[in-house]
Amino acid sequence: MTKRYCYACDLKEDAKLIAEYKAYHAEGKAWPEITKSIKDAGIVDMQIYLTGNRMFMIMEVDETFDAEKKVKMDADNTKVQEWENLMWNYQQELPWAKDGEKWIALEQIFQL
């Protein structure tokens, strides 16, 4: 059984930067250490969607996933930190984000 997490984040409103960001996320282009860290955390599927400069990330996780554990794993992984620092060149906080908050959890308001 999996559980779904959904998040939002903005990219900087610059067509060149958005194109570069998309190139980093094209099939087979994400660093292998990043995809490994995602899978090692119990994330079985992750998709990112883009409209304008707003992104939505949908994660399907297994029963081993723990969000706090993932944060610690990422903090201890120098390659993940390098990736995150690189991605901050393209990303920006949502207007209502707390200081340093990047991806904001979406609130589910409807389910069929």
Side-chain angles (χ1 to χ4, degrees):
M1 175 113 150
T2 60
K3 185 174 180 180
R4 179 179 296 138
Y5 290 83
C6 302
Y7 297 91
C9 182
D10 279 351
L11 291 175
K12 294 177 181 172
E13 292 190 58
D14 178 306
K16 181 179 180 239
L17 291 178
I18 290 172
E20 288 177 18
Y21 186 86
K22 288 169 69 174
Y24 274 109
H25 292 81
E27 188 173 338
K29 297 295 182 180
W31 298 354
E33 299 91 349
I34 303 309
T35 55
K36 181 180 183 323
S37 75
I38 290 167
K39 292 174 183 176
D40 287 352
I43 301 169
V44 296
D45 188 36
M46 177 189 282
Q47 300 173 16
I48 298 176
Y49 295 87
L50 178 66
T51 180
N53 72 313
R54 179 130 320 145
M55 297 184 294
F56 299 94
M57 177 171 53
I58 301 168
M59 299 184 331
E60 297 286 337
V61 304
D62 65 21
E63 65 282 347
T64 67
F65 179 78
D66 179 296
E68 289 179 22
K69 181 179 162 192
K70 173 70 170 132
V71 169
K72 176 151 178 32
M73 288 171 59
D74 288 350
D76 293 342
N77 185 320
T78 56
K79 203 64 172 176
V80 169
Q81 290 305 305
E82 184 181 342
W83 175 266
E84 290 299 327
N85 289 333
L86 176 62
M87 292 302 107
W88 265 122
N89 292 318
Y90 305 96
Q91 298 167 331
Q92 63 184 4
E93 297 166 338
L94 290 166
W96 52 88
K98 297 176 184 133
D99 242 3
E101 199 171 35
K102 186 186 254 190
W103 288 94
I104 307 295
L106 298 178
E107 175 186 2
Q108 181 179 343
I109 61 169
F110 175 81
Q111 181 173 355
L112 184 61

